Amino acid sequence: MVPAASLVAFALVALGMVLTPGPNMIYLITRSIMQGRLAGFISLLGVILGFVFYMLCAAFGLTALLLAVPFAYEAIQWAGAAYLLYLAWNAIKPGARSVLESRSDLPADRPGKLFAMGFVTNLLNPKIAVLYFSLLPQFVDPAKGQVLLQSILLGSTQIAVSFTVNLCIVFAAGSVAAWFRTHPQWLTAQRWVMASVLTGLAVRLALDRRIA
């Protein structure tokens, strides 16, 4: 099976990625603020299903197929980078509002739609694609046992880390938003910081090149 040191290392990689602002975090914060913690939790369940989908794809060999086709891998890179730039622009464009700003001008979505949107948001999340299509295979050692079981163990570790962190985000979003309501000057700063982080991630993703 996966050595303990490798498992811990992969868990730290997963932790670092889930703490980096991205589509999942933005969606969960927005829904939790708009509709409450229950809506955020339902959305999180959809996000988790997206993780399971990626984990199964990796475990059953689609990762190897994707990495063997440079065009497909690069397509994911550029699509992901473009999506991150789109999110960055939405954060600072004229009339933009912070994801931490309470809103009542958007309709409340039903549980089924919340779940589906969480799932789709995660499927289109370039960070998760990179994590499963590029990083996870590096922690799999065929000499240590069945590749399938190792992939599932690593994927389950990432899911557990992500669920824990995102659950904290769902429960804390309302409190954070309340603080920003009493400190409105920080909302503009938050939007620019998020836009800068997303732009940096987009550039890094676009410039990343695999070692042949």
Side-chain angles (χ1 to χ4, degrees), residues 9-33:
F10 184 73
L12 292 175
V13 170
L15 178 62
M17 296 193 76
V18 74
L19 290 175
T20 303
N24 288 347
M25 183 182 292
I26 293 172
Y27 177 69
L28 292 174
I29 289 175
T30 301
R31 282 299 159 191
S32 299
I33 292 174

Side-chain angles (χ1 to χ4, degrees), residues 10-191:
F10 184 73
L12 292 175
V13 170
L15 178 62
M17 296 193 76
V18 74
L19 290 175
T20 303
N24 288 347
M25 183 182 292
I26 293 172
Y27 177 69
L28 292 174
I29 289 175
T30 301
R31 282 299 159 191
S32 299
I33 292 174
M34 284 179 49
Q35 293 184 237
R37 293 173 177 173
L38 178 59
F41 180 74
I42 294 173
S43 300
L44 175 57
L45 294 181
V47 169
I48 294 301
L49 180 60
F51 287 133
V52 173
F53 175 83
Y54 272 117
M55 178 184 70
L56 293 178
C57 287
F60 287 100
L62 292 186
T63 294
L65 175 62
L66 186 67
L67 293 178
V69 182
F71 175 78
Y73 185 87
E74 291 177 7
I76 287 180
Q77 283 185 301
W78 288 107
Y83 187 44
L84 290 174
L85 289 175
Y86 170 76
L87 293 176
W89 167 244
N90 281 339
I92 60 173
K93 68 181 182 181
R97 302 175 67 174
S98 170
V99 296
L100 297 173
E101 185 176 356
S102 296
R103 303 183 65 169
S104 59
D105 58 330
L106 296 176
D109 290 321
R110 299 175 66 85
K113 186 174 181 180
L114 291 171
F115 183 87
M117 289 176 65
F119 175 66
V120 173
T121 297
N122 201 16
L123 287 186
L124 298 177
N125 188 345
K127 290 196 305 178
I128 307 307
V130 170
L131 177 66
Y132 276 93
F133 293 156
S134 181
L135 296 179
L136 184 145
Q138 298 180 29
F139 291 86
V140 175
D141 184 357
K144 299 295 183 179
Q146 295 186 28
V147 171
L148 176 62
L149 294 180
Q150 291 186 58
S151 299
I152 291 177
L153 177 59
L154 289 167
S156 298
T157 299
Q158 184 274 328
I159 291 173
V161 170
S162 183
F163 178 80
T164 301
V165 173
N166 283 317
L167 186 62
C168 292
I169 290 173
V170 166
F171 278 90
S175 299
V176 173
W179 185 89
F180 273 96
R181 280 199 299 271
T182 61
H183 301 79
Q185 68 277 11
W186 288 101
L187 287 173
T188 300
Q190 184 273 329
R191 289 194 293 113

